[in-house]
């Protein structure tokens, strides 16, 4: 976990050199702990955080700035300006008419397009408006754009490989999943030069080998995949209707929609899960901000010593005594100015009530997003599998199961992103021949089944929804 930098209020960055050195350190340590030698490694699979990006000089390899994190808010004014613009309203009308005339879902998403600070596109537009060196290099076709995976590939191969995969590209919001191309219309709209984008390759694919100086021997890079899609693959959610819930720094619900790309309104968006040869699997995704971030903040504030204590603290009291936690410590896709706060504090409120209120807010947001998925995604939902650090919290897991009235499986290993990358690399290198072999490797640690009726949570959830109404646009 690379420590975030906060150079200005709302700005969130990562040091590319720190990221690089920690990445190399983790690989070397993992090989050592496993009792292996580098020459025994048949292939490397890379799973990375999405949305964070960097630009650098094509010839010198020198970055123009730090990584700009997916949580960064520097584009908030730009987002506000665009969302209120007449031009965006005209775009809505044009694509609404096109969708009505053709019935083609490709025109549905632009018909209600709104920008958010989550989107890479707006922050990249900010870069070319505010960083003169990047703008000048782009004019001379000397500027490279890359999410974390692209930067690592570039560094691992000493600049000889410049590429990304379909899962990472589609997660930027600049890559059109229908046409499987970088979106020229959006780039023209936001004044982003098309020359900056890397070629897009299959997810499970031989990207080339690491430079032999880095690990002592060249190691084939056999998979590159975005973390949420990788977790989906690691959970073996291979069939349409399979659902994956990751609860880490943020929360992500993903539904496998198979060969069909569902363009939906507002809270859900389509991404490419993975591309392996001719197979392209689409996912519908919804996200929740500030899950692990909020819990880490609470720990730093000494509301508890160890994260493992939080479930027991929440279960030690009957309810939060009317205390509600409103998330928004870093970023909200729908409202970058959302005020993080506790409401309903009383003289009798103690740290158990505060912790319970924070954990309840995770389960309540899971419920809201699940209901949207059920309403909007018109395919039967199958198994729900959870992963990520917060999936180790039995209180959140049980309450989510109760609220959605569904069984939720939790794997023995909560870090599914790394497992998914290993699976994809293993398939590309021939270590496994098909996905059926991967299913046999799944290990379930716990199954959470509904135990309480939704109505038992109704007063607390109604109070939380009421509190949420008071927090926007702070």
């Amino acid at each position: 976990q690379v420590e975030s930098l906060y150079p200005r209020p709302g700005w969130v960055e990562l040091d590319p050199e720190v990221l690089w050195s920690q990445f190399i350190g983790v690989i070397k340590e993992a090989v050592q702990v496993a009792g292996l030698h580098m020459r025994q490694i048949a292939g490397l699979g890379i799973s990375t955080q999405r949305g964070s990006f960097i630009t650098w000089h094509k010839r010198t390899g020198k970055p123009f700035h730090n990584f700009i994190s997916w949580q960064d808010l520097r584009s908030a004014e730009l987002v506000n300006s665009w969302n209120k613009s007449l031009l965006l309203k005209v775009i809505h009308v044009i694509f609404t008419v096109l969708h009505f005339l053709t019935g083609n879902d490709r025109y549905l998403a632009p018909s209600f397009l709104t920008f958010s600070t989550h989107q890479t596109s707006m922050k990249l537009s900010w870069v070319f408006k505010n960083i003169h060196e990047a703008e000048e290099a782009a004019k001379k076709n000397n500027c490279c754009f890359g999410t974390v995976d692209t930067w690592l590939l570039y560094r691992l191969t000493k600049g000889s490989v410049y590429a990304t995969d379909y899962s990472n590209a589609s997660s930027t919001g600049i890559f059109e999943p229908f046409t499987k191309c970088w979106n020229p219309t959006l780039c023209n709209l936001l004044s982003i030069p098309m020359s900056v984008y890397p070629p897009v390759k299959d997810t499970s694919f031989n990207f080339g080998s690491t430079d032999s100086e880095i690990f002592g021997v060249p190691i084939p890079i056999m998979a590159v995949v975005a973390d949420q899609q990788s977790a989906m693959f690691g959970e073996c959610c291979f069939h349409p209707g399979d659902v994956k819930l990751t609860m880490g720094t943020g929360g992500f619900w993903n539904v496998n929609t198979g060969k069909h790309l569902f363009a939906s309104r507002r809270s859900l968006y389509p991404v490419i899960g993975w591309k392996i040869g001719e197979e392209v699997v689409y996912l519908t995704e919804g996200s929740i901000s500030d899950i692990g971030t909020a819990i880490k903040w609470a720990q730093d504030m000494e509301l508890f010593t160890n994260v493992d204590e939080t479930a027991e603290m929440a279960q030690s009291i009957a309810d939060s005594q009317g205390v509600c936690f409103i998330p928004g410590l870093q970023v909200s896709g729908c409202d970058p100015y959302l005020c993080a706060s506790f409401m309903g504090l009383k003289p009798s409120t103690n740290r158990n009530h505060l912790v319970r209120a924070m954990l309840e807010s995770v389960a309540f947001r899971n419920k809201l997003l699940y209901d949207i998925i059920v309403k909007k995604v018109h395919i039967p939902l199958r198994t729900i599998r959870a992963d990520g650090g917060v999936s180790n919290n039995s209180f959140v897991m049980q309450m989510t199961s109760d609220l959605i009235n569904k069984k939720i499986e939790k794997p023995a290993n909560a870090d599914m992103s790394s497992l998914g990358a290993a699976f994809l690399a293993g398939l590309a290198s021939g270590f496994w021949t098909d996905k059926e072999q991967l299913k046999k490797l799944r290990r379930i640690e716990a199954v959470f089944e509904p135990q309480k009726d939704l109505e038992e949570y109704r007063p607390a959830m109604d109070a939380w929804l009421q509190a949420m109404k008071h927090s926007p646009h702070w």
Side-chain angles (χ1 to χ4, degrees):
Q1 183 68 40
V2 181
E3 192 169 332
S4 296
L5 307 173
Y6 305 97
R8 295 189 196 177
W11 290 29
V12 189
E13 298 182 350
L14 304 170
D15 185 314
E17 292 306 319
V18 171
L19 187 150
W20 167 249
S21 62
Q22 288 194 9
F23 171 75
I24 296 301
V26 164
I27 293 175
K28 289 180 176 177
E29 185 182 349
V31 171
Q32 187 177 11
V33 168
L36 300 171
H37 296 286
M38 286 295 179
R39 63 179 175 272
Q40 293 174 278
I41 307 301
L44 182 65
I46 302 173
S47 167
T48 55
Q49 178 199 85
R50 308 174 308 174
S52 301
F53 73 92
I54 194 169
T55 62
W56 67 93
H57 196 284
K58 186 182 286 185
R59 195 164 37 79
T60 66
K62 185 183 175 185
F64 295 117
H65 51 84
N66 282 339
F67 268 98
I68 298 175
S69 168
W70 65 276
Q71 297 171 307
D72 189 279
L73 293 175
R74 74 186 65 195
S75 62
E77 286 184 21
L78 200 58
V79 166
N80 249 355
S81 168
W82 265 106
N83 286 342
K84 291 176 181 174
S85 69
L86 178 62
L87 178 56
L88 194 61
K89 290 180 175 64
V90 171
I91 289 168
H92 289 171
V93 171
I94 291 170
F95 282 98
T96 299
V97 171
L98 282 171
H99 182 249
F100 176 76
L101 293 174
T102 65
N104 190 333
D105 270 359
R106 182 184 167 190
Y107 301 122
L108 182 59
S111 71
F112 54 83
L113 171 69
T114 52
F115 292 106
S116 87
T117 54
H118 270 172
Q119 292 163 336
T120 304
S121 55
M122 296 309 289
K123 291 188 280 260
L124 187 55
S125 179
W126 182 95
V127 164
F128 290 115
K129 288 182 192 312
N130 292 276
I131 300 178
H132 179 69
E133 294 89 342
E135 183 191 22
E136 287 302 304
K139 285 177 183 175
K140 297 172 183 174
N141 198 20
N142 268 332
C143 181
C144 295
F145 159 86
T147 41
V148 177
D149 61 299
T150 304
W151 172 250
L152 292 177
L153 266 177
Y154 185 84
R155 292 292 298 267
L156 282 167
T157 60
K158 295 277 181 82
S160 67
V161 176
Y162 178 49
T164 187
D165 94 296
Y166 283 87
S167 68
N168 279 289
S170 73
S171 302
T172 62
I174 315 171
F175 188 82
E176 171 55 66
F178 280 96
T179 59
K180 302 185 194 65
C181 295
W182 297 106
N183 190 328
T185 307
L186 183 64
C187 291
N188 286 333
L189 206 60
L190 300 178
S191 303
I192 301 170
M194 286 293 291
S195 62
V196 303
Y197 298 114
V200 185
K201 308 290 186 183
D202 283 8
T203 308
S204 183
F205 176 78
N206 189 340
F207 284 84
S209 293
T210 64
D211 188 276
S212 56
E213 286 183 14
I214 297 171
F215 298 118
V217 291
I219 299 174
I221 303 164
M222 304 304 288
V224 168
V225 59
D227 57 0
Q228 297 310 317
Q229 289 93 318
S230 189
M232 191 85 174
F233 203 88
E235 290 272 31
C236 297
C237 292
F238 302 140
H239 305 287
D242 283 349
V243 182
K244 184 260 327 164
L245 164 60
T246 294
M247 292 181 287
T249 307
F252 294 87
W253 284 83
N254 293 88
V255 183
N256 184 325
T257 58
K259 297 175 183 177
H260 303 288
L261 199 157
F262 283 85
S264 183
R265 291 180 180 273
R266 305 292 181 251
S267 305
L268 305 178
Y269 44 91
V271 292
I272 295 173
W274 51 84
K275 183 176 182 294
I276 306 173
E278 294 302 309
E279 180 196 40
V280 180
V281 171
Y282 293 101
L283 311 179
T284 290
E285 181 173 281
S287 65
I288 303 167
S289 63
D290 285 339
I291 292 183
T293 312
I295 293 170
K296 174 72 166 61
W297 170 83
Q299 186 173 10
D300 292 342
M301 294 296 289
E302 299 182 355
L303 289 181
F304 52 86
T305 309
N306 192 310
V307 175
D308 297 340
E309 301 168 26
T310 56
E312 194 176 325
M313 290 172 74
Q315 288 157 353
S316 71
I317 49 177
D319 54 48
S320 67
Q321 212 180 60
V323 177
C324 298
F325 174 69
I326 310 305
L329 287 167
Q330 262 310 322
V331 60
S332 164
C334 54
D335 179 12
Y337 303 107
L338 185 69
C339 169
S341 57
F342 284 102
M343 293 190 184
L345 299 176
K346 304 168 186 66
S348 57
T349 300
N350 61 37
R351 63 182 64 195
N352 290 348
H353 296 119
L354 298 178
V355 168
R356 182 173 176 123
M358 294 183 83
L359 299 184
E360 283 182 346
S361 79
V362 176
F364 291 150
R365 285 179 288 160
N366 280 336
K367 164 67 174 168
L368 293 180
L369 198 45
Y370 177 79
D371 285 351
I372 293 169
I373 290 168
V374 170
K375 186 177 178 182
K376 299 289 186 184
V377 180
H378 305 300
I379 57 175
L381 301 183
R382 292 160 49 105
T383 53
I384 300 175
R385 294 165 183 165
D387 64 89
V390 183
S391 71
N392 291 319
N393 190 294
S394 59
F395 179 84
V396 171
M397 291 291 287
Q398 186 57 57
M399 188 171 173
T400 299
S401 174
D402 291 343
L403 288 170
I404 68 174
N405 195 33
K406 288 286 182 184
K407 180 174 76 172
I408 305 175
E409 294 178 359
K410 181 195 168 300
N413 174 13
D415 187 2
M416 283 291 116
S417 295
S418 54
L419 184 62
F423 280 172
L424 286 157
L427 286 171
S429 61
F431 188 81
W432 294 293
T433 54
D434 59 48
K435 296 198 217 56
E436 291 305 311
Q437 289 176 288
L438 304 180
K439 289 180 188 177
K440 294 171 186 173
L441 301 174
R442 285 194 69 238
R443 297 290 178 267
I444 300 170
E445 182 181 88
V447 178
F448 293 85
E449 301 198 39
Q451 293 179 359
K452 290 185 181 178
D453 189 82
L454 173 62
E455 289 308 309
E456 291 188 50
Y457 295 102
R458 184 70 64 190
M461 189 159 183
D462 285 348
W464 179 78
L465 289 168
Q466 193 62 33
M468 285 288 283
K469 289 178 183 176
H470 292 287
S471 298
H473 310 299
W474 183 263

